[in-house]
Amino acid sequence: MTNAQPKASHFIGGKYVEDTAGTEIHCVYPATGETIATLHAATPPIVDQALEAAREGQKIWAAMTGTERGRILRRAADMIRDRNRELSELETLDTGKPLQETLVADATSGADALEYFGGLAATLTGEHIQLGQDWVYTIREPLGICVGIGAWNYPTQIACWKGAPALACGNAMIFKPSETTPLCALKVAEILYEAGLPAGAYNVIQGYGEVGAKLVTDARVDKVSLTGSVPTGRKVYAAAAEGMKHVTMELGGKSPMIVFEDADIEDAVGGAILGNFYSSGQVCSNGTRVFVHKAIKDKFLKRLKDRTEAAVLGDPMNEATNFGPMVSKAQMDIVLGYINKGVDEGAKLITGGKPADRKGFFIEPTIFANVTDDMTIAREEIFGPVMTVLDFEAEEEVIARANDTQFGLSAGVFTKDLTRAHRVIARLEAGSCWINTYNLAPVEAPFGGVKASGVGRENSKEAINHYSQVKSVYVAMGPVEAQF
Ligand code: NAD
């Protein structure tokens, strides 16, 4: 049995810390169902220790120059790249995602964020506003203590996407990973500390939702960034509002991908596969409602079926495997429930639809056609390898149907008609969009949703606005003119 047991459950103030009084968290390897590590949720004294360490660490960190901060973040990025294989294997153990994916999409993406925001750190300045003889200058300040709360699909990436901009701006972070994937963020914390981050500037504490809730309601916390589902987002946003805290909400989706009749069929099929089956469908921005023009439906479905049936489902540690298990038994059951609903509500099963015949939480990549807008599988986020293909005939019609959802995370358009691509994408209610590709999320581009899918943006220069605030200082050069 693989042992991925960390030295202790939490990383606080530059050290591994344990309190076995906390509720046990069993980390299960999704490919086998074996428990590979047991950790403990943070107790109130651990939460308190993390908050105090963050307060101390933040003072030291914020007093450094942006250049010094940036150098440390970039050093951490280099260390992550040097240790990519080890970190990718841990990511695979934590999530079950195939090593073929984790080697290129997780630690590497985390390193990109640390490098990018490390580069920006020295450039974060205020401005000078001349007003005749007087002037105003602005100071870009950190917020203070930021809390990051993660989902289970990208534990390394989420820990870095939240940590890197927070740290670049001079904040401290307390990151609470998902209870389902507690391992990877501890490595991120360890590496940041080794790279030179002051003790307490980046801490990781474990726990279920209640630990997250405790952090969100603590008066010492200035900002909360959540990656999770819409129902959790509503709770966390409301609790943060009570304390007037800054928030970033990266939530769920049911995103449309529209394939027009002139699209390159191979590219569109490739986009649909990337946007539905990468990470076994456990990606928030997935284009799970694939609208295909009636004129090309049969051709599209044939290629989609053939290519999907070529997926190599198996041991995630084997680099030839390109399709892994669901993260947990609970998620597997949710997804199988949706597949049954799809069949019951009359969708046509094209391929897949059942668990794979092996241990672990594997479900075959599943495609439904003849899906209608009112079906449950077309309305609710499934978060598994279930693609729904819907037919359409006209541009206006498909735009209205694509937007008819509470979600607004992502959208994609496949067409060779340049003006149509831009015209349609401009009218889709979504934060992160693609033309003739899907799900690429480089750190240079803003990422986030509209409507119920979220508030704020991660990555790019946009993220700086969500991890800093601006103080304005008016400087008078003449006498004070009071009214009496
Ligand atoms: P979840 O909402 O169940 O949990 C997310 C995190 O919130 C976990 O760490 C959990 O412990 C914590 N939490 C739960 N209740 C809480 C509370 N009351 N207060 C504070 N924290 C609380 O989500 P999940 O099942 O881990 O992840 C899947 C969801 O995440 C999907 O909806 C997916 O779309 C979304 N997601 C979004 C993005 C994005 O960037 N938009 C990325 C990945 C995943």
Side-chain angles (χ1 to χ4, degrees):
M1 187 168 86
T2 317
N3 190 343
Q5 185 70 40
K7 282 185 207 149
S9 300
H10 320 288
F11 192 91
I12 300 174
K15 292 193 294 285
Y16 274 97
V17 177
E18 189 59 271
D19 181 354
T20 52
T23 315
E24 280 192 352
I25 296 173
H26 296 285
C27 180
V28 173
Y29 181 38
T32 61
E34 293 166 300
T35 297
I36 52 168
T38 300
L39 296 89
H40 295 270
T43 52
I46 288 283
V47 173
D48 205 56
Q49 198 181 330
L51 285 159
E52 287 308 309
R55 180 148 49 197
E56 289 310 308
Q58 198 259 329
K59 279 190 221 150
I60 301 166
W61 183 237
M64 292 165 81
T65 66
T67 304
E68 288 167 328
R69 288 202 298 267
R71 192 179 302 135
I72 291 170
L73 297 181
R74 285 183 286 110
R75 193 179 298 141
D78 290 345
M79 289 167 67
I80 288 181
R81 287 211 182 87
D82 287 347
R83 291 169 62 178
N84 184 39
R85 178 158 286 271
E86 166 209 341
L87 297 171
S88 303
E89 285 174 3
L90 190 68
E91 175 94 19
T92 291
L93 290 172
D94 222 1
T95 62
K97 291 183 294 181
L99 197 56
Q100 191 188 96
E101 280 188 21
T102 57
L103 280 170
V104 297
D106 292 281
T108 51
S109 163
D112 284 353
L114 288 163
E115 186 172 16
Y116 177 84
F117 287 105
L120 274 189
T123 73
L124 305 178
T125 57
E127 58 178 343
H128 170 100
I129 303 154
Q130 193 69 41
L131 297 165
Q133 284 192 4
D134 293 355
W135 78 87
V136 170
Y137 66 93
T138 66
I139 306 172
R140 187 166 287 279
E141 296 179 334
L143 301 174
I145 299 181
C146 301
V147 162
I149 301 178
W152 39 255
N153 56 346
Y154 283 84
T156 306
Q157 186 188 84
I158 295 172
C160 293
W161 280 20
K162 296 190 189 308
L167 292 170
C169 294
N171 301 285
M173 170 151 281
I174 301 175
F175 186 78
K176 189 203 82 63
S178 163
E179 57 273 28
T180 311
T181 52
L183 305 178
C184 297
L186 289 169
K187 285 287 165 201
V188 172
E190 205 184 294
I191 289 171
L192 280 164
Y193 181 63
E194 247 181 86
L197 204 71
Y202 188 96
N203 311 280
V204 172
I205 65 171
Q206 308 292 344
Y208 297 88
E210 61 190 330
V211 171
K214 205 161 172 15
L215 287 168
V216 174
T217 49
D218 195 287
R220 289 166 284 185
V221 170
D222 302 287
K223 190 220 157 103
V224 179
S225 175
L226 169 79
T227 297
S229 61
V230 172
T232 304
R234 288 191 208 284
K235 281 190 232 163
V236 172
Y237 198 175
E242 187 63 31
M244 214 57 85
K245 298 180 200 304
H246 296 251
V247 294
T248 299
M249 294 283 142
E250 289 293 347
L251 309 176
K254 190 76 196 174
S255 302
M257 181 186 298
I258 303 174
V259 183
F260 284 99
E261 64 276 27
D262 63 343
D264 180 297
I265 298 269
E266 279 310 305
D267 280 349
V269 167
I273 288 172
L274 263 182
N276 280 272
F277 299 137
Y278 203 72
S279 303
S280 298
Q282 303 164 115
V283 180
C284 53
S285 48
N286 271 356
T288 47
R289 290 183 295 143
V290 182
F291 291 93
V292 180
H293 194 277
K294 263 199 170 144
I296 55 163
K297 176 185 168 185
D298 291 342
K299 215 162 140 193
F300 180 89
L301 280 176
K302 182 170 183 324
R303 281 302 289 148
L304 181 64
K305 181 176 188 305
D306 289 350
R307 285 179 60 178
T308 300
E309 287 174 354
V312 183
L313 182 153
D315 174 7
M317 287 294 177
N318 180 341
E319 279 183 54
T321 297
N322 55 27
F323 189 83
M326 298 285 89
V327 77
S328 63
K329 171 78 169 57
Q331 189 62 19
M332 182 183 186
D333 291 342
I334 290 171
V335 175
L336 290 173
Y338 276 112
I339 291 175
N340 289 338
K341 269 204 184 109
V343 173
D344 290 348
E345 291 180 12
K348 181 178 174 195
L349 186 63
I350 300 290
T351 188
K354 55 182 192 313
D357 186 18
R358 55 180 294 135
K359 63 179 175 173
F361 314 133
F362 290 85
I363 298 178
E364 296 170 348
T366 299
I367 299 167
F368 282 109
N370 298 354
V371 176
T372 53
D373 297 342
D374 55 334
M375 288 181 187
T376 310
I377 54 168
R379 303 214 65 80
E380 296 182 13
E381 185 185 42
I382 299 175
F383 224 56
V386 183
M387 186 193 307
T388 63
V389 180
L390 305 95
D391 313 340
F392 78 95
E393 282 178 290
E395 185 178 307
E396 276 303 314
E397 167 215 339
V398 78
I399 292 170
R401 290 170 60 199
N403 286 337
D404 181 20
T405 167
Q406 64 158 331
F407 299 108
L409 186 51
S410 302
V413 172
F414 282 84
T415 175
K416 288 192 193 124
D417 180 335
L418 197 61
T419 51
R420 174 157 66 187
H422 296 291
R423 184 172 67 230
V424 172
I425 216 86
R427 290 184 58 198
L428 293 176
E429 295 162 0
S432 304
C433 299
W434 295 275
I435 293 173
N436 290 335
T437 187
Y438 205 85
N439 258 357
L440 303 181
V443 67
E444 297 87 344
F447 185 82
V450 302
K451 294 159 73 179
S453 291
V455 174
R457 291 292 176 269
E458 295 199 303
N459 288 341
S460 79
K461 284 179 249 169
E462 283 290 322
I464 297 302
N465 297 324
H466 299 288
Y467 283 100
S468 61
Q469 58 197 349
V470 170
K471 172 182 278 174
S472 84
V473 181
Y474 189 109
V475 181
M477 297 299 285
V480 173
E481 288 174 18
Q483 71 278 33
F484 55 84

